[in-house]
Structure formats: structure tokens, C-alpha cells
């Protein structure tokens, strides 16, 4: 099986404490399971730098790198920076580095009640603007903020956008798909109670569907609740395959091709 993990966080501390051998071992296991590409996502300046370091040191098959990086400031991390323009300058500089393939993850997260929504929206729009200026694709995080995400990205339909771990309605997915947007689905696709997510995955065109882990989070069934890793994508690929009525190898291959097109690898 050939797999592309469109979104993961191997710089996360959990790999040190919960995965035997740490992130290096997890990446080795991923390669063994057929994972050929991983995009490691930054969530602030520090983790964006860590993503680039991981990408630079990774070795894949036939000298093709295993890990690529996306860089950006996640909505819940915006509080860390005193001046947004300085933070954006740092993102711009990181985006110019080799093996950086996208701006992300950026977006809105209204899950926690004490969040500053105005600041989140400002960072989100400014980073979309930056992606437009740089001509780079964007990975979006949308948690409990579907309406406001929609209101902002409708002004950026010229930018290549992927909704990571898509959790909106199937109806909204159809609208986004009509705008040419992509969707990546992870372990949630295998959860019993995730009918809505499966409906979305089924409703959008197959060429817009990517697979991801969001590792170390959201491990698929039967590993739900434990640390996630790219090797478990075989379960997610199987879930997508049964929705599509194809075999798992074909579903994985389609998602891999879609991810390569989106990230321009
Ligand atoms: Zn993530």
C-alpha cells in the first residue's frame, strides 16, 4: 500500500513519552507500513521550525524525502505573539525554506470559551493573504467555527485550500468542493459515531479527498484513545475504501495522488 499522511505532528512531545523509540521509531514504522510522504504541520513559530528540522533530516525511499513541512500560526497559539506583523514576518521567512510545502495549520478554534475570536480572525485572514502572496497552498483547522471560517475563506477562493480533519456538514463540503477545495480525513472516519464525517467524505469528488493522521491525536479504531502514528493509516484507508466501494490499495493510491497534487510534490 502507498500512503501519504497529509497532516501530522511528529515534533509533539507525546512521541517522546508514549512511542517506544520516539518519533524516529514512529517514522521508521510508517515507512515500513507503506507511508511514502508525511506533511508535518507547525502550529506556531517554534513548532514550524521543528517541522522544518524534521523534514530536513528525514530520509524516504530512493532519496525522496519522507517528511515535508507546513508552517503557520494555529488559532489557539496566537496569544504567544505581541505583534502580529513580526510573527507573520517569521512565518514568511520560514515559508521560503526548502521542503516547506504549505502555510498551516491556520484557521479558527472556538472550542475554548476564553478565546479571543477577533485576534484569531485577524491572524487567519493575514496568513491567507500571505499564502496568496507566496502562491502557496493552505491547510485549515476549523473547530467549532464553521460559520466564521466560511465567511473568511469565501474571499480566498483563488488560494488552494485543504480543510484538515474536516468536521463540517456534508452540505458545506459540497459548497467548498464547488470552490475547488480539498478535504483530508483521518482516524475519525473509522469511529462508530462519525456518520456525518463519512457522509462528507462520500459527498465530495474523489479527487478532492486526502488522508491524514493528525498524529499523535485521533488514532483510528482499533487504536482509538492511544497515540496515533502514520502506520495506522491502513485502517483509515480501509474505511475510505469501503465508502467508495474499492479496495484499500486503490483508496490509498487515489488519496496519495491527490495529496501530491495539492502540495505540489
Ligand atoms: Zn494538526
Amino acid at each position: 500500500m502507498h500512503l501519504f499522511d497529509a497532516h501530522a505532528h511528529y515534533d509533539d512531545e507525546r512521541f517522546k513519552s508514549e512511542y517506544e523509540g520516539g518519533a524516529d521509531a514512529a517514522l521508521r514504522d510508517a515507512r515500513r507500513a507503506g507511508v511514502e510522504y508525511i506533511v508535518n504541520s507547525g502550529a506556531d513559530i517554534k513548532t514550524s521550525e521543528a517541522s522544518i528540522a524534521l523534514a530536513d533530516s528525514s530520509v524516504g525511499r530512493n532519496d525522496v524525502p519522507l517528511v515535508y513541512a507546513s508552517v503557520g500560526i494555529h488559532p489557539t497559539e496566537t496569544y504567544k505573539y505581541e505583534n502580529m506583523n513580526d510573527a507573520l514576518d517569521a512565518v514568511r521567512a520560514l515559508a521560503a525554506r526548502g521542503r516547506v510545502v504549505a502555510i498551516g495549520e491556520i484557521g479558527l478554534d472556538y472550542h475554548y470559551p476564553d478565546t479571543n475570536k477577533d485576534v484569531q480572525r485577524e491572524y487567519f485572514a493575514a496568513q491567507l493573504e500571505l499564502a496568496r502572496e507566496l502562491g502557496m497552498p493552505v491547510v485549515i483547522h476549523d473547530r467549532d467555527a464553521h460559520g466564521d471560517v466560511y465567511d473568511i475563506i469565501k474571499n480566498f477562493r483563488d488560494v488552494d485550500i485543504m480543510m484538515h480533519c474536516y468536521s463540517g456538514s456534508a452540505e458545506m463540503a459540497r459548497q467548498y468542493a464547488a470552490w475547488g477545495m480539498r478535504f483530508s480525513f483521518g482516524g475519525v472516519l473509522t469511529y462508530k459515531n462519525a456518520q456525518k464525517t463519512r457522509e462528507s467524505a462520500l459527498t465530495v469528488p474523489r479527487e478532492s479527498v486526502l488522508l491524514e493522521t493528525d498524529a499523535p491525536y485521533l488514532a483510528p479504531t482499533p487504536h482509538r484513545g492511544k497515540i496515533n502514528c502514520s502506520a495506522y493509516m491502513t485502517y483509515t484507508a480501509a474505511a475510505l475504501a469501503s465508502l467508495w466501494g474499492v479496495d484499500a490499495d486503490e483508496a490509498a493510491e487515489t488519496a496519495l495522488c491527490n495529496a501530491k497534487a495539492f502540495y505540489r510534490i
Side-chain angles (χ1 to χ4, degrees), residues 166 169-174 177 197-206 208 244:
Y166 181 74
S169 66
E171 189 191 346
M172 198 173 251
R174 266 192 295 276
T197 303
R198 280 187 289 274
E199 203 184 312
S200 297
L202 200 51
T203 202
V204 297
R206 290 187 186 182
S208 69
W244 282 354

Side-chain angles (χ1 to χ4, degrees), residues 7 9 105 164 214:
H7 186 92
H9 302 275
E105 57 187 298
H164 116 76
D214 206 15

